[in-house]
Amino acid sequence: MGRSLRTFAAYTQPFTVKNARHATTGCPFSKRQRSQIAPTAELSEEIFSNAKPYSEVPGPKPIPILGNTWRMVPIIGQFDISEFAKVTQHFLDRYGRIVRLGGLIGRPDLLFVYDADEIERIYRREGPTPFRPSMPCLVKYKSEVRKDFFGELPGVVGVHGEQWRRFRSKVQRPILQPQTVKKYVAPIELVTEDFIKYMENARDVNGDLPHEFDNDIHRWSLECIGRVALDTRLGCLSSDLTSNSEPQRIIDAAKFALRNVAVLELKAPYWRYVPTPLWTKYVNNMNFFVELCSKYINEALERLKTKKVTSENDLSLLERVLRSEGDPKIATVMALDLILVGIDTISMAVCSILYQAATRLKQQEKMAEEIRRVFPDPSKPINYADLDKLHYTKAFVREVFRMYSTVIGNGRTLQEDDVICGYHIPKGVQVVFPTIVTGNMSQFVSDPEEFKPERWLESDGRLHPFASLPYGFGARICLGRRFADLEIQILLAKLIRRYRLEYHHEPLEYAVTFMYAPDGPLRLRMIER
Ligand code: HEM
């Protein structure tokens, strides 16, 4: 029996045993104890007293003085960051469904949890101010280096507790309201048409896109985010940019962030103690983004003074926030946060989705048929309600996220002691949900090695809703997810409607830079349909 793509609502429904779809047979962990604790149950004294001690959680043993950090050091260490996907899989194979990586110099223990039931329980009990450990560089930048600017309203990214809750509650409604998102269909369609023209011009005689096509995808996502967060066309898709032009500087700044934040955070964290040259560049780069946002927010503010407004619907996202909050700083910080996390995520996701479409022609044809059916006249503008009818196309994207989780995992720092997989875990531990692995585990997903978009449209088969959560879950769920979905759907609808994508080079391996994406030149071929 068919069903429309499970929406987020399906994930937020209260837990009932009836809804849970568990493996019962054929599971490598079939002998293991499932969590005996219901997702929302209070943890009783009895549960704590029956739990095994934290010290018994399995995991790689730290060596004296160097702890476990040495394992991440290139050459001497056994785990390379770009191999993170393999490392997390190795942890599961070697130690089981819960793994402790302790002894990391200068940071709390990491606890990897490979059990979708436990992940569900942790998410559902996380309280009103979940703590997602992330972006230590940004935390230092916002809370120390530019405390003068961010003050008491530092945004949502890298911010926690009451400060996070206050800021999120100011911007969440306008950002996530479908009526706001709907207003961006036409602007994103225009940006995407320009991008497709750009691609058409960039092709060689065979129709192959250039080696640096993944950079071009970044230009498109920058242009989209500029339209959404700054109410402007940044001009990043122009082909004749001079090195000192603003769009080129934006592209360079985004590229710098993409290439270096991972290095700073994962490979060279010495900036925590001394301002290294790379750290100084990072700060200058961030200052550039702050100035950029301030400039465009001031322009929007000026426009708003003379704009005729009869209803809220006449206002853009930015204008709504400017009007309702009356403080341009809030709009600036919101724009900055959206830009900081809204470029790489979507760009890498699109690299992955287009590569999968180009190497899975049968499924691409099914998408093309559906897109043609929903949008029979390519000259007519796209409308929001019709995008919702792209069930198979959305399921294709969901399946790419399941199999090749762009964001390798999510996490929470425990704010209270907990019992996870039968162990007493102290507060302060950073729990990692490695969706890159759990989305491919047979006890949570039937035939996980099969790329099968249909699984998201059918009601049979195993598909645990917490095994693959591309946008996270709960109060801290991705703030830009509606825009991300919109941008991806419009790109696929426009591109695949007109072109068949192919790939005729060496197969690309996936690797973790910061995100998980095909590693190497994405030389897709575009053939007119
Ligand atoms: C396919 C693309 C994207 C993916 C896979 C993705 C994924 C995620 C994930 C997993 C989180 C953490 C959620 C949690 O802790 O439960 C997150 C947070 C966030 N995302 Fe996205 N994201 C994407 C695109 C975007 C875009 C385009 C924007 C901006 C327009 C954006 C803005 C944010 C923000 C602001 C947060 C922080 C929310 C908070 O901590 O309160 N994301 N995203």
Side-chain angles (χ1 to χ4, degrees), residues 65 198 211 253 314 322 363:
I65 304 180
Y198 181 97
H211 277 83
D314 298 330
L322 281 170
Q363 286 94 343

Side-chain angles (χ1 to χ4, degrees), residues 8 44 59 71 216 246 274 347 354 365 442 446 472 496 500:
F8 175 70
S44 64
R71 292 180 194 271
D216 298 336
E246 186 181 87
V274 281
S347 305
L354 295 186
E365 283 320 297
S442 59
S446 314
I496 291 185
R500 189 170 70 247

Side-chain angles (χ1 to χ4, degrees), residues 123 132 156-157 164 168 225 337-338 341-342 345-346 349 401 407 410 412 470-473 476-480 484 488:
Y123 268 130
R132 185 185 57 250
V156 289
V157 183
W164 167 81
R168 178 132 181 166
I225 200 75
D337 272 359
L338 295 182
V341 287
T345 40
I346 185 113
F401 283 150
V407 174
N410 201 9
R412 295 287 185 253
Y471 294 119
F473 182 84
R476 271 209 102 129
I477 191 170
C478 174
L479 205 43
I488 294 169

Side-chain angles (χ1 to χ4, degrees), residues 379-417:
S379 64
K380 272 202 176 157
I382 285 183
N383 94 41
Y384 194 45
D386 284 341
L387 282 175
D388 213 35
K389 296 179 193 153
L390 295 178
H391 302 302
Y392 184 83
T393 305
K394 288 195 277 178
F396 180 95
V397 172
R398 195 64 190 77
E399 186 68 345
V400 175
F401 283 150
R402 179 192 69 78
M403 247 182 144
Y404 312 93
S405 183
T406 307
V407 174
I408 50 186
N410 201 9
R412 295 287 185 253
T413 298
L414 291 186
Q415 295 178 80
E416 283 172 16
D417 283 19

